[in-house]
């Protein structure tokens, strides 16, 4: 079999891709929370920024993590997006349990936001790409 085009690259292993997506999600979360904290403590923003900022942070972080994982692994994209979201939610739940003494009163909001960001990434990256009709050249 002859291949007339250059290979586009190879996908990473599933653990490596999921780990990289998790790292991206956590870095975005930590940096954005630090920026919001700095804005509030310096007096440049009010306390209401924290509520809206947390919503945006969770959506963007879960979307970015799932996107990075999908692009690195390059196969089974729906499964990769779901696993990426579950890993991110598990870590957020673990942090909540450790910091707030096991009170999981409103973790469902975090779960919904994480699921929304991950589902958005799945919809964007799992869509079938329609290629044009390719014709074989005559030699």
């Amino acid at each position: 079999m002859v291949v007339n085009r250059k290979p586009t690259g190879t996908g990473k292993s599933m653990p490596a891709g999921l780990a990289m997506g998790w790292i991206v999600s956590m870095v975005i979360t930590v940096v954005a929370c630090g920026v919001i904290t700095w804005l509030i403590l310096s007096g440049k923003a009010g306390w209401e920024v924290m509520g809206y900022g947390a919503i945006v942070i969770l959506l963007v972080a879960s979307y970015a993590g799932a996107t990075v994982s999908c692009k690195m692994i390059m196969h089974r994209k729906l499964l990769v997006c779901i696993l990426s979201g579950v890993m991110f939610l598990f870590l957020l739940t673990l942090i909540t349990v450790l910091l707030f003494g096991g009170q999981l009163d409103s973790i469902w909001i975090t779960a919904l936001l994480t699921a929304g960001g991950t589902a958005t990434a799945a919809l964007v990256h799992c869509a079938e790409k329609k290629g044009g009709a390719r014709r074989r050249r005559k030699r």
Side-chain angles (χ1 to χ4, degrees), residues 55-108:
I55 292 170
V56 171
I57 289 169
L58 287 175
L59 284 172
V60 169
S62 61
Y63 176 80
T67 299
V68 167
S69 294
C70 278
K71 287 187 177 182
M72 286 187 73
I73 296 174
M74 297 195 306
H75 67 281
R76 296 183 182 168
K77 292 183 178 182
L78 183 61
L79 176 67
V80 169
C81 286
I82 291 171
L83 287 176
S84 177
V86 167
M87 285 176 51
F88 185 56
L89 180 62
F90 177 74
L91 188 75
L92 290 177
T93 305
L94 185 66
I95 290 170
T96 303
V97 166
L98 291 174
L99 292 180
F100 297 108
Q103 294 181 352
L104 296 174
D105 295 336
S106 61
I107 198 68
W108 62 273

